[in-house]
Amino acid sequence: SELKWVENRAESLLATHGLLSEWRFEWDRATTRFGQCDHRTKRITLSRHLSDKASDDDVEQVILHEIAHALADPVSYTHLRAHETEADL
């Protein structure tokens, strides 16, 4: 995807879901994961490397996935992850 399009789409989707006033989009240098949601810093980041190679639809789906994490309660999400880890043991 064209990187400027990704930036614009991410900001548009953050606004659509009521997050633009508190959350921001940034690029990261990851090569093995596509996106990340950080509740502590209120940032959604995407891999510049992977976004450059992906289709617009794939990028949009990753942005929406990370927005879903942003909308979820971080305490419940952390609690769920802890249970998943326990279940794997």
Side-chain angles (χ1 to χ4, degrees), residues 3-27 44 46 59-60 63-64 67:
L3 299 181
K4 190 62 180 167
W5 177 86
V6 176
E7 292 170 3
N8 291 336
R9 191 64 184 136
E11 289 184 6
S12 174
L13 289 169
L14 284 167
T16 297
H17 294 281
L19 296 173
L20 192 56
S21 64
E22 294 182 21
W23 287 74
R24 67 185 188 273
F25 169 80
E26 293 181 2
W27 294 110
I44 289 176
L46 262 60
V59 170
E60 184 171 272
I63 295 168
L64 288 169
I67 285 173

Side-chain angles (χ1 to χ4, degrees), residues 2-79:
E2 184 180 327
L3 299 181
K4 190 62 180 167
W5 177 86
V6 176
E7 292 170 3
N8 291 336
R9 191 64 184 136
E11 289 184 6
S12 174
L13 289 169
L14 284 167
T16 297
H17 294 281
L19 296 173
L20 192 56
S21 64
E22 294 182 21
W23 287 74
R24 67 185 188 273
F25 169 80
E26 293 181 2
W27 294 110
D28 63 41
R29 292 188 261 172
T31 58
T32 59
R33 66 146 175 76
F34 207 148
Q36 178 176 297
C37 171
D38 187 333
H39 279 271
R40 187 179 54 79
T41 60
K42 294 195 181 276
R43 287 185 315 158
I44 289 176
T45 64
L46 262 60
S47 162
R48 184 183 300 265
H49 172 75
L50 296 176
S51 294
D52 191 40
K53 298 177 182 308
S55 71
D56 290 352
D57 186 57
D58 286 344
V59 170
E60 184 171 272
Q61 291 305 308
V62 172
I63 295 168
L64 288 169
H65 176 90
E66 299 310 329
I67 285 173
H69 285 297
L71 290 169
D73 175 22
V75 174
S76 297
Y77 179 72
T78 302
H79 181 73

Side-chain angles (χ1 to χ4, degrees), residues 80-89:
L80 175 64
R81 295 297 298 162
H83 276 49
E84 288 175 357
T85 302
E86 289 173 10
D88 291 340
L89 297 177

